[in-house]
Amino acid sequence: MNRYGRRTLALEIVMAAAALVVAFPVYVLVNLAVRAPSDTSSPIRPTTSPTLDNFTQAWQQGALGGALANSLLVTTVSVAIVLAVSSLAAYPLARISARWSRTTYLLIMLGLVLPFQLAALPLYRTMRDLHLLGSPWALVLFYSGLQVPFTVFLYTGFLRALPRDFEDAALIDGCTPLQRFRYVVLPMLKPITVTALVLNAVAVWNDFFTPLLYLSGSGRQTLPVAVAGFVGQYVTDWNLIFAALVISIVPVLAVYLTLQRHIINGFAGGLRG
């Protein structure tokens, strides 16, 4: 049995300090979100008379209901497409050792190296020609391509670490490759699927530049763009901004807390592979 020593104590102190560093901005965010606009004291001082009026005003003035619906639509559909395409693409890439498989995998991995900003103008013109500017479906199409390389990387690494015994048994029973994937491999991909779901959902949900580019002037904003609308040139109500930020954080935080026990194992498995 390991005894409690100085090293353990030092590690606990470091972890506690790290937790305080992470928790401090969250405390300031919530503290200002529930503070009345008339209270101009230090952001660090605890609010003595908290109020929820900021959330009501932020919801109404920023039209956060419609923005929340747009963000949910874009995130849900985009992540579903990315997970389906990436898992189906990663299966043959992980199981087939032919030269074309390795070449295809490397080509997909180029998407992790090349910044998407290089294609911002051509993509904008493409969306314009497709008459998708101002529509959330432009974001769905964009994210469905942007997030695939990273997700294929996670799935491929995880699949390479999985044993093939069950797949060989299914092959002997006469299952087709698609049936082997559907009934044998897919259930074993639950940890990495949850990890990829959370990582992609956070990336899509928090993106600001792409919705600003493709939905500008349409009135169909996503939450990050709607929150940015509270910042004015001359007057900025920080209490409403922080309240809107809390509203925008709650959905993705709820998803993360619900699925957190699967995330680390899935991500570690993908890196190990």
Side-chain angles (χ1 to χ4, degrees):
M1 179 182 295
N2 295 327
R3 292 189 298 178
Y4 189 90
R6 294 182 178 179
R7 184 176 180 180
T8 304
L9 176 61
L11 182 60
E12 289 182 350
I13 293 175
V14 171
M15 295 302 296
L20 289 175
V21 170
V22 173
F24 179 73
V26 179
Y27 160 75
V28 174
L29 172 66
V30 177
N31 188 45
L32 293 180
V34 298
R35 176 175 293 184
S38 57
D39 189 347
T40 58
S41 59
S42 171
I44 302 177
R45 188 182 68 82
T47 301
T48 57
S49 301
T51 177
L52 298 180
D53 291 341
N54 294 330
F55 295 94
T56 303
Q57 295 182 32
W59 184 271
Q60 295 174 351
Q61 295 182 19
L64 297 186
L68 177 62
N70 289 329
S71 290
L72 287 174
L73 172 65
V74 171
T75 303
T76 302
V77 178
S78 299
V79 172
I81 294 175
V82 168
L83 294 180
V85 172
S86 300
S87 59
L88 288 170
Y91 182 52
L93 293 176
R95 290 296 185 247
I96 299 175
S97 58
R99 179 178 298 178
W100 68 264
S101 177
R102 294 193 296 270
T103 303
T104 303
Y105 180 73
L106 291 177
L107 288 175
I108 294 176
M109 290 303 100
L110 283 177
L112 294 176
V113 180
L114 299 176
F116 76 91
Q117 289 86 352
L118 291 177
L121 183 58
L123 286 173
Y124 184 86
R125 291 177 175 175
T126 300
M127 296 299 180
R128 181 195 60 190
D129 295 340
L130 294 174
H131 304 288
L132 290 177
L133 291 181
S135 170
W137 298 109
L139 301 180
V140 171
L141 183 60
F142 176 83
Y143 293 129
S144 297
L146 179 67
Q147 300 298 120
V148 164
F150 176 67
T151 312
V152 169
F153 167 74
L154 291 180
Y155 272 116
T156 304
F158 192 86
L159 280 165
R160 287 173 178 171
L162 287 179
R164 302 191 183 190
D165 299 343
F166 295 105
E167 297 172 61
D168 294 338
L171 176 62
I172 295 174
D173 290 339
C175 290
T176 64
L178 189 58
Q179 289 174 330
R180 294 200 300 271
F181 176 80
R182 168 66 180 86
Y183 296 106
V184 178
V185 177
L186 189 58
M188 294 189 293
L189 293 180
K190 182 179 179 181
I192 194 63
T193 298
V194 173
T195 302
L197 185 153
V198 172
L199 294 177
N200 282 292
V202 170
V204 174
W205 186 272
N206 291 333
D207 187 26
F208 173 79
F209 174 75
T210 307
L212 180 66
L213 180 64
Y214 291 148
L215 302 182
S216 179
S218 67
R220 306 189 68 177
Q221 303 172 340
T222 57
L223 271 176
V225 179
V227 172
F230 285 100
V231 181
Q233 182 177 2
Y234 301 106
V235 179
T236 300
D237 194 335
W238 290 106
N239 298 94
L240 296 186
I241 292 176
F242 286 115
L245 285 173
V246 172
I247 294 174
S248 68
I249 291 171
V250 167
V252 70
L253 183 62
V255 172
Y256 175 80
L257 293 177
T258 302
L259 304 176
Q260 63 176 333
R261 66 190 184 95
H262 301 285
I263 295 174
I264 301 302
N265 290 335
F267 191 62
L271 293 178
R272 183 175 62 249

